[in-house]
């Protein structure tokens, strides 16, 4: 009877952790093996590009016009579909500009205050 909770714990552990992880790995492997030229992808580091060529375990991505980089298939995180919002294609109507920080105390500082009460314009 004392072995039943241990078996139950192993079964729960399998269904909650091991099985979903294995399923995600299989889906990722299937996605990486189905890459074809022209597919828009995002790497695991967040770089967007278009597949130009697929070699054995390598993928050549075009990240900008006439700029190509070589990646391993495992570095491809997901395929970007046309309906997905993509950060590098977003249009910003108005650029965000940080307002300069104004130090209110800097305006009250005078030459006499900086020189210990001595005005530098007076000669002794």
């Amino acid at each position: 009877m004392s072995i039943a909770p241990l078996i139950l714990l192993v079964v729960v552990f399998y269904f909650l952790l091991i099985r979903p992880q294995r399923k995600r790995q299989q889906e990722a492997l299937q996605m990486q093996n189905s890459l074809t030229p022209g597919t828009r992808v995002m790497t695991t580091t967040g770089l967007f590009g278009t597949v130009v060529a697929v070699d054995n375990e390598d993928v050549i991505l075009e990240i900008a016009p006439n700029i190509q980089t070589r990646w391993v298939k495992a570095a491809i995180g997901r395929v970007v579909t046309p309906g997905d919002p993509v950060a590098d294609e977003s249009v910003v109507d108005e650029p965000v500009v940080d307002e300069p920080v104004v130090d209110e105390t800097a305006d009250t500082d005078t030459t006499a205050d900086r020189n210990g009460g001595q005005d530098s314009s007076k000669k002794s």
Side-chain angles (χ1 to χ4, degrees):
M1 289 297 238
S2 65
I3 198 162
L6 184 61
I7 292 173
L8 181 64
L9 184 64
V10 169
V11 169
V12 169
F13 186 74
Y14 174 77
F15 280 107
L16 291 179
L17 297 175
I18 297 172
R19 190 169 177 225
Q21 179 63 27
R22 188 174 293 164
K23 184 178 178 183
R24 281 191 296 270
Q25 286 175 339
Q26 288 175 349
E27 288 172 354
L29 186 61
Q30 181 182 6
M31 179 270 305
Q32 291 163 356
N33 288 330
S34 67
L35 293 174
T36 58
T39 305
R40 186 102 169 114
V41 297
M42 182 182 84
T43 65
T44 55
T45 59
L47 182 77
F48 289 90
T50 304
V51 176
V52 175
V54 179
D55 293 334
N56 294 329
E57 290 298 315
D58 294 341
V59 176
I60 298 175
L61 298 180
E62 184 175 47
I63 56 174
N66 298 322
I67 298 178
Q68 298 178 354
T69 56
R70 181 178 297 268
W71 296 75
V72 293
K73 283 184 181 179
I76 305 300
R78 67 181 175 106
V79 173
V80 179
T81 58
D84 287 349
V86 180
D88 64 343
E89 293 180 353
S90 64
V91 177
V92 178
D93 292 335
E94 197 171 309
V96 177
V97 179
D98 290 335
E99 294 294 324
V101 178
V102 178
D103 187 9
E104 298 289 330
T105 60
D107 294 338
T108 60
D109 190 22
T110 63
T111 305
D113 292 337
R114 286 191 303 262
N115 294 330
Q118 300 289 327
D119 191 1
S120 61
S121 62
K122 294 182 180 179
K123 297 205 177 198
S124 41

mmCIF file of all heavy atoms in Angstrom, residues 39-42 48 78-86:
data_model
loop_
_atom_site.group_PDB
_atom_site.id
_atom_site.type_symbol
_atom_site.label_atom_id
_atom_site.label_comp_id
_atom_site.label_asym_id
_atom_site.label_seq_id
_atom_site.Cartn_x
_atom_site.Cartn_y
_atom_site.Cartn_z
ATOM 1 N N THR A 39 10.173 31.306 -46.601
ATOM 2 C CA THR A 39 9.461 31.302 -45.322
ATOM 3 C C THR A 39 10.012 32.398 -44.427
ATOM 4 O O THR A 39 11.214 32.555 -44.278
ATOM 5 C CB THR A 39 9.628 29.938 -44.622
ATOM 6 O OG1 THR A 39 9.213 28.908 -45.508
ATOM 7 C CG2 THR A 39 8.824 29.880 -43.339
ATOM 8 N N ARG A 40 9.149 33.159 -43.823
ATOM 9 C CA ARG A 40 9.539 34.223 -42.876
ATOM 10 C C ARG A 40 9.609 33.602 -41.490
ATOM 11 O O ARG A 40 8.649 32.968 -41.042
ATOM 12 C CB ARG A 40 8.489 35.332 -42.926
ATOM 13 C CG ARG A 40 8.834 36.522 -42.123
ATOM 14 C CD ARG A 40 9.357 37.625 -43.035
ATOM 15 N NE ARG A 40 9.437 38.862 -42.263
ATOM 16 C CZ ARG A 40 10.587 39.438 -41.986
ATOM 17 N NH1 ARG A 40 11.699 38.951 -42.442
ATOM 18 N NH2 ARG A 40 10.619 40.543 -41.273
ATOM 19 N N VAL A 41 10.752 33.764 -40.805
ATOM 20 C CA VAL A 41 10.964 33.127 -39.509
ATOM 21 C C VAL A 41 11.511 34.118 -38.496
ATOM 22 O O VAL A 41 11.991 35.195 -38.843
ATOM 23 C CB VAL A 41 11.939 31.929 -39.625
ATOM 24 C CG1 VAL A 41 11.372 30.842 -40.509
ATOM 25 C CG2 VAL A 41 13.294 32.361 -40.118
ATOM 26 N N MET A 42 11.439 33.717 -37.228
ATOM 27 C CA MET A 42 12.070 34.451 -36.143
ATOM 28 C C MET A 42 12.988 33.476 -35.421
ATOM 29 O O MET A 42 12.592 32.355 -35.100
ATOM 30 C CB MET A 42 11.043 34.995 -35.151
ATOM 31 C CG MET A 42 11.679 35.811 -34.035
ATOM 32 S SD MET A 42 10.514 36.420 -32.811
ATOM 33 C CE MET A 42 10.401 34.996 -31.758
ATOM 34 N N PHE A 48 14.453 38.556 -37.042
ATOM 35 C CA PHE A 48 13.522 38.173 -38.095
ATOM 36 C C PHE A 48 14.266 38.087 -39.412
ATOM 37 O O PHE A 48 15.157 38.889 -39.687
ATOM 38 C CB PHE A 48 12.390 39.197 -38.216
ATOM 39 C CG PHE A 48 11.437 39.167 -37.069
ATOM 40 C CD1 PHE A 48 11.658 39.949 -35.956
ATOM 41 C CD2 PHE A 48 10.330 38.343 -37.093
ATOM 42 C CE1 PHE A 48 10.787 39.932 -34.884
ATOM 43 C CE2 PHE A 48 9.450 38.307 -36.025
ATOM 44 C CZ PHE A 48 9.687 39.102 -34.922
ATOM 45 N N ARG A 78 10.403 30.196 -34.472
ATOM 46 C CA ARG A 78 9.040 30.028 -34.978
ATOM 47 C C ARG A 78 8.948 30.570 -36.386
ATOM 48 O O ARG A 78 9.768 31.373 -36.830
ATOM 49 C CB ARG A 78 8.025 30.719 -34.077
ATOM 50 C CG ARG A 78 8.104 32.226 -34.057
ATOM 51 C CD ARG A 78 7.061 32.820 -33.119
ATOM 52 N NE ARG A 78 7.216 34.246 -33.000
ATOM 53 C CZ ARG A 78 6.397 35.119 -33.568
ATOM 54 N NH1 ARG A 78 5.385 34.705 -34.271
ATOM 55 N NH2 ARG A 78 6.601 36.419 -33.412
ATOM 56 N N VAL A 79 7.920 30.132 -37.077
ATOM 57 C CA VAL A 79 7.607 30.635 -38.407
ATOM 58 C C VAL A 79 6.628 31.790 -38.219
ATOM 59 O O VAL A 79 5.655 31.680 -37.472
ATOM 60 C CB VAL A 79 6.988 29.525 -39.282
ATOM 61 C CG1 VAL A 79 6.511 30.090 -40.608
ATOM 62 C CG2 VAL A 79 7.993 28.406 -39.507
ATOM 63 N N VAL A 80 6.903 32.904 -38.871
ATOM 64 C CA VAL A 80 6.056 34.088 -38.756
ATOM 65 C C VAL A 80 5.047 34.059 -39.899
ATOM 66 O O VAL A 80 5.422 34.026 -41.066
ATOM 67 C CB VAL A 80 6.902 35.377 -38.822
ATOM 68 C CG1 VAL A 80 6.020 36.599 -38.725
ATOM 69 C CG2 VAL A 80 7.947 35.369 -37.736
ATOM 70 N N THR A 81 3.791 34.052 -39.539
ATOM 71 C CA THR A 81 2.735 34.076 -40.551
ATOM 72 C C THR A 81 2.379 35.518 -40.862
ATOM 73 O O THR A 81 2.614 36.407 -40.039
ATOM 74 C CB THR A 81 1.494 33.305 -40.062
ATOM 75 O OG1 THR A 81 1.033 33.893 -38.838
ATOM 76 C CG2 THR A 81 1.806 31.844 -39.828
ATOM 77 N N PRO A 82 1.808 35.779 -42.035
ATOM 78 C CA PRO A 82 1.514 37.164 -42.412
ATOM 79 C C PRO A 82 0.615 37.908 -41.429
ATOM 80 O O PRO A 82 0.694 39.115 -41.320
ATOM 81 C CB PRO A 82 0.821 37.027 -43.776
ATOM 82 C CG PRO A 82 1.327 35.737 -44.314
ATOM 83 C CD PRO A 82 1.530 34.849 -43.122
ATOM 84 N N GLY A 83 -0.226 37.234 -40.661
ATOM 85 C CA GLY A 83 -1.102 37.904 -39.720
ATOM 86 C C GLY A 83 -0.445 38.250 -38.396
ATOM 87 O O GLY A 83 -0.991 39.006 -37.605
ATOM 88 N N ASP A 84 0.748 37.698 -38.127
ATOM 89 C CA ASP A 84 1.437 37.955 -36.862
ATOM 90 C C ASP A 84 2.004 39.362 -36.834
ATOM 91 O O ASP A 84 2.551 39.841 -37.821
ATOM 92 C CB ASP A 84 2.596 36.975 -36.652
ATOM 93 C CG ASP A 84 2.128 35.577 -36.318
ATOM 94 O OD1 ASP A 84 0.928 35.414 -36.037
ATOM 95 O OD2 ASP A 84 2.965 34.660 -36.330
ATOM 96 N N PRO A 85 1.897 40.040 -35.692
ATOM 97 C CA PRO A 85 2.546 41.348 -35.588
ATOM 98 C C PRO A 85 4.056 41.157 -35.495
ATOM 99 O O PRO A 85 4.548 40.370 -34.702
ATOM 100 C CB PRO A 85 1.980 41.930 -34.292
ATOM 101 C CG PRO A 85 1.534 40.758 -33.497
ATOM 102 C CD PRO A 85 1.155 39.683 -34.499
ATOM 103 N N VAL A 86 4.787 41.869 -36.326
ATOM 104 C CA VAL A 86 6.234 41.744 -36.378
ATOM 105 C C VAL A 86 6.839 43.079 -35.991
ATOM 106 O O VAL A 86 6.452 44.118 -36.529
ATOM 107 C CB VAL A 86 6.700 41.332 -37.791
ATOM 108 C CG1 VAL A 86 8.203 41.208 -37.857
ATOM 109 C CG2 VAL A 86 6.046 40.014 -38.183
#
